[in-house]
Amino acid sequence: MPQLRRRGSHVSLPAPAAARLQRPSWRDGRLIAGVLLVLVAMLTGAAALSHFDSSVEMLQASHTLVPVRPSERAM
């Protein structure tokens, strides 16, 4: 166990060795998870938009509608 040195009223601890990052790889699990998350979000959004786009209610007239001038409407 390393010795602790006192400096004034503070105790200085030994500095830990820095853990070096590994060289980046295309097989990194975080990269694959991120790409899959983006793809799932895109597919879910596309499916929701296509569902709600085709489920819009429309009204249909039961007979032919004839345009009327505003002055004739009051009669």
Side-chain angles (χ1 to χ4, degrees), residues 2-41:
Q3 293 272 345
L4 298 179
R5 291 178 284 166
R6 287 193 177 266
R7 193 180 297 166
S9 63
H10 298 283
V11 176
S12 64
L13 299 174
R20 300 292 174 209
L21 296 175
Q22 295 176 349
R23 185 177 180 152
S25 170
W26 288 107
R27 293 182 292 172
D28 185 19
R30 294 173 293 178
L31 176 65
I32 294 170
V35 169
L36 287 176
L37 183 65
V38 169
L39 287 175
V40 167

